[in-house]
Amino acid sequence: MHQVLEPAFVGRTYGDFLFRPQVGVVDSRRAVSLTTRLSRRLRLELPVVSANMDSVTGARMAEAMALEGGMGFVHRGLPIAVQAEAVQRVKRRHGYVVEQPLCLPRGTTIREARVFIATHNITGMLIEDARGSGRLAGLLSNRDLPWVEGREEHPVEQFMTPAARLVTGPPGIPMEEAERRMFEHRIEKLPLVDAEGRIRGLITKKDVILARRRPYSSRDAKGHLLVGAAIGARGDFLERAAELLRVGADALLIDIAHGHSHAMREAVEAVRAKFGDVELVCGNVATAEGAAFLKELGADAVKVGVGPGRGCRTRLETGAGVPQLQAVREAWCAVGETVPIIADGGVRDDKDVFLALICGASSVMLGSLLSGTDEAPGSVIEDPGTGEKRKIYRGMASPQAVLDALYSAEPREDALAVDVPAEGQEMQVPYRGSVVDILSRIRGHLRSAVSYAGEATLAAARTKVLPDPLRYLVPLSSAARDESYER
Ligand code: XMP
C-alpha cells in the first residue's frame, strides 16, 4: 500500500468538492500542457478516452478521439471480424506513410481505374509493372484521367506520369525532407521506392498537412492514430485479441463488471501466455484492494469505476459500488503512480475530469458525455412534435444491449443469459453535433483548471496535489453545492 485513504474521501464524489484557487503562473491558458500517461507505454495530449460501449465508440469515434489527442476503445459487442475492421480503419486512415499503397498494374484500362478510384475514394494511385511485382511503373492521378470520350478501353500507362519522370524518395525518408521535396516540386504524392525500384510506401500532402495541423493527435511511431479495443474475459476473447492485435490495436482492454475476480486473473494469465507483453488495460475495480490486485496481475493501466456511469444500474440493482472520487483516490492510495489509473464513469461536467485527475487518475473514460455526437454510433432521432434531435445512449448491460448480443448473427459466447438481471439502462440524450467541439471545450476547461491550480502543466498540478489533495479541496455543504451548481 502506497498511502492510507484519507477519511474525508469516504462516501465522496465529484460534486462534493471545489478546488481552492492557487496563485496563477501562466499568461496564456493555451500554453498549458495536458500531456498524460494512458498506460505503461501510451501517452496522450488530452487525458480523455471514449468508453467501449456500442452507443459511444466505433471507428468514427475512435478516429476523432485520437485526432484530438485522446483515444477510443472500440466496443466488443460485435462479431470479431467487424470489430477488427473498425480498428483497422482507424489504423489505416492516417499515417505519415501509407505503407502498402493501393496499386494497379500496367494494362489496366481507364474504365477499370475509374471504378478503382471511386471504390477506394482516392485521388490517384501508383501503377506497378506487372500485377504483384511491386515495381513502380508510374503514377496515375485524377487529373491524368482523360475527359474526352472514347478512351475508356485504353491502358493506364498512356496517361500516367512514368516512373522516370516522378519525384520519389527512399523508404525511411525523414518527414521534413519529404515535405521539402513535395513543396519544391509542387507535388501531392511522393512514392517511396527502394534501390531496386520497388514500391515501399507513399506520402501524401493530405496526411502531411493533417499531421502538421494537429501536432497533438495520438499517434504511433509511424504516424498512425492510436486505438484500443475491448476483449472481455471469456468465450472468444483470445481469438478476438489475436485478430485485434493483427490489425494493429495499440491496447487491449479486458473489461468486465467485476474486475477484482478470479475470472480476471485467468483472463490476464491467458492473454500474457499467448501474446506476451502487449499493452493491457484491465478493469473495472472500485477499491484499493482491487487496484492492487490488477497491479499485481501486471495490468498496464487500471480502470476504476463500479456503478457511477449514467447508463449503469449496478448500484441500484445490487447495492455494490463505491462513490467515484473515493474509488479513484483509493486506487491511487494503493498503487500511486506505478500504474496509471483510468477513472471510468460518472463524469457529468468538465470539472469532474480535473477532480479525477488531481485525486489519482491519469486519464478519464467518458460515455454519456460523448454520446449524442455525430461520431457516436447510431442515428439521430427527431421528435416529430418538438423537432428536438436526440440519440440513444445505453449501458452495455442494458436489456436492449444484452438482447442485441444474444440475437446477433454471431452471438457472443459470453453474452449475458436472459436470467441475469440487466445492470444497465437505455436513454435518449440530446443530439450534440461533433465530438470535436466537446473535446475542445474539455481541453479548454482543463487548461483553465490547471492554471487555477497555479501550474503550467497538468503533470505539475498532479505532482503538487496528489500527495495531499485535501489541502487543495474545499468540501461542500449542501448550500455551497447549490451556490456552485444551481443556476
Ligand atoms: P458515463 O457516466 O460516462 O459512464 O456514461 C460510462 C461507463 O459506464 C460503464 N457502463 C456500465 N456500467 N452497467 C454498468 O453498471 C452497464 O450496463 C454499463 N454500461 C457501461 C462503463 O464502465 C462505461 O465506461
Side-chain angles (χ1 to χ4, degrees):
M1 188 68 67
H2 177 70
Q3 196 168 309
V4 179
L5 176 73
E6 301 87 347
F9 276 106
V10 174
R12 298 287 177 259
T13 193
Y14 298 129
D16 287 315
F17 296 100
L18 285 178
F19 189 82
R20 213 181 161 81
Q22 306 294 302
V23 184
V25 295
V26 286
D27 295 329
S28 156
R29 195 186 77 157
R30 281 175 186 281
V32 171
S33 156
L34 299 176
T35 308
T36 195
R37 287 197 308 161
L38 170 67
S39 59
R40 187 157 54 98
R41 280 167 292 207
L42 300 179
R43 297 279 176 287
L44 301 179
E45 295 298 322
L46 181 68
V48 173
V49 296
S50 64
N52 50 300
M53 300 173 72
D54 64 4
S55 52
V56 181
T57 311
R60 231 182 125 192
M61 177 64 81
E63 181 188 345
M65 290 300 298
L67 279 172
E68 291 306 311
M71 195 176 99
F73 284 94
V74 177
H75 72 96
R76 67 185 165 99
L78 293 166
I80 294 176
V82 181
Q83 189 190 14
E85 199 195 304
V87 167
Q88 192 164 37
R89 260 185 58 196
V90 182
K91 290 309 291 180
R92 285 239 175 113
R93 195 109 168 108
H94 306 277
Y96 304 136
V97 179
V98 183
E99 277 142 73
Q100 286 162 349
L102 297 166
C103 295
L104 283 177
R106 273 181 197 277
T108 304
T109 64
I110 289 298
R111 183 192 308 282
E112 290 164 333
R114 276 193 216 280
V115 172
F116 192 78
I117 283 177
T119 315
H120 295 282
N121 191 19
I122 50 180
T123 54
M125 92 217 69
L126 298 182
I127 306 297
E128 58 181 344
D129 260 342
R131 191 178 293 281
S133 70
R135 211 169 274 282
L136 183 65
L139 178 88
L140 184 77
S141 87
N142 266 341
R143 280 178 316 202
D144 302 324
L145 291 171
W147 46 273
V148 284
E149 307 250 316
R151 313 271 167 92
E152 292 304 288
E153 301 311 321
H154 288 221
V156 285
E157 54 267 35
Q158 285 184 7
F159 302 93
M160 71 185 185
T161 309
R165 291 212 332 258
L166 280 177
V167 179
T168 63
I173 183 172
M175 219 37 215
E176 299 70 38
E177 171 59 15
E179 276 179 53
R180 198 188 56 72
R181 278 190 204 184
M182 291 168 84
F183 179 70
E184 227 166 59
H185 298 277
R186 306 291 193 274
I187 53 172
E188 304 203 342
K189 291 190 162 66
L190 184 75
L192 304 185
V193 286
D194 62 18
E196 279 87 50
R198 280 184 211 287
I199 300 166
R200 298 287 303 280
L202 176 69
I203 296 179
T204 71
K205 183 175 154 196
K206 188 179 118 253
D207 287 333
V208 170
I209 289 177
L210 196 69
R212 274 198 170 278
R213 278 207 195 125
R214 291 206 180 79
Y216 47 79
S217 295
S218 312
R219 295 174 182 274
D220 63 20
K222 291 180 175 161
H224 298 293
L225 297 178
L226 295 183
V227 57
I231 58 171
R234 266 188 242 135
D236 63 13
F237 77 110
L238 289 176
E239 220 181 294
R240 194 173 280 277
E243 253 326 89
L244 294 167
L245 290 170
R246 187 183 66 77
V247 295
D250 296 281
L252 296 178
L253 165 58
I254 302 185
D255 191 25
I256 53 180
H258 190 14
H260 188 183
S261 60
H262 190 60
M264 176 62 82
R265 177 186 297 284
E266 285 186 347
V268 173
E269 284 170 2
V271 168
R272 288 290 185 220
K274 192 148 185 204
F275 307 108
D277 198 23
V278 295
E279 204 72 353
L280 191 59
V281 179
C282 298
N284 278 13
V285 295
T287 60
E289 297 78 7
F293 167 79
L294 294 183
K295 180 191 161 181
E296 289 308 308
L297 279 185
D300 296 309
V302 170
K303 196 150 76 72
V304 171
V306 171
R310 239 191 116 194
C312 302
R313 293 190 60 83
T314 304
R315 293 182 187 173
L316 285 157
E317 314 294 5
T318 70
V322 175
Q324 183 63 354
L325 196 60
Q326 174 184 345
V328 168
R329 187 62 191 164
E330 273 202 35
W332 189 84
C333 285
V335 303
E337 295 290 291
T338 56
V339 51
I341 293 166
I342 304 173
D344 174 22
V347 168
R348 289 165 181 239
D349 301 300
D350 297 355
K351 63 143 176 75
D352 301 342
V353 176
F354 184 64
L355 289 176
L357 295 169
I358 49 146
C359 289
S362 288
S363 67
V364 172
M365 180 174 265
L366 303 179
S368 59
L369 220 60
L370 307 180
S371 66
T373 58
D374 293 322
E375 291 81 357
S379 353
V380 178
I381 315 157
E382 191 169 329
D383 184 316
T386 60
E388 232 180 300
K389 291 182 173 167
R390 297 173 167 277
K391 285 187 88 165
I392 297 287
Y393 175 64
R394 64 185 192 182
M396 286 304 283
S398 63
Q400 296 84 354
V402 170
L403 282 177
D404 280 0
L406 285 172
Y407 288 106
S408 75
E410 198 182 297
R412 276 165 36 201
E413 277 179 45
D414 62 344
L416 297 179
V418 255
D419 60 357
V420 176
E423 288 181 18
Q425 67 185 55
E426 179 172 301
M427 63 189 76
Q428 292 189 3
V429 291
Y431 167 64
R432 294 192 177 93
S434 173
V435 76
V436 174
D437 297 333
I438 293 181
L439 295 173
S440 308
R441 189 195 71 206
I442 294 177
R443 184 187 291 112
H445 288 159
L446 266 181
R447 284 175 161 163
S448 293
V450 168
S451 84
Y452 275 116
E455 296 296 337
T457 66
L458 173 63
R462 290 183 78 249
T463 307
K464 175 159 96 182
V465 179
L466 280 171
D468 187 11
L470 294 167
R471 261 184 68 191
Y472 301 90
L473 295 179
V474 186
L476 300 183
S477 65
S478 87
R481 208 168 292 134
D482 283 354
E483 180 191 82
S484 308
Y485 308 130
E486 292 299 319
R487 291 291 178 270

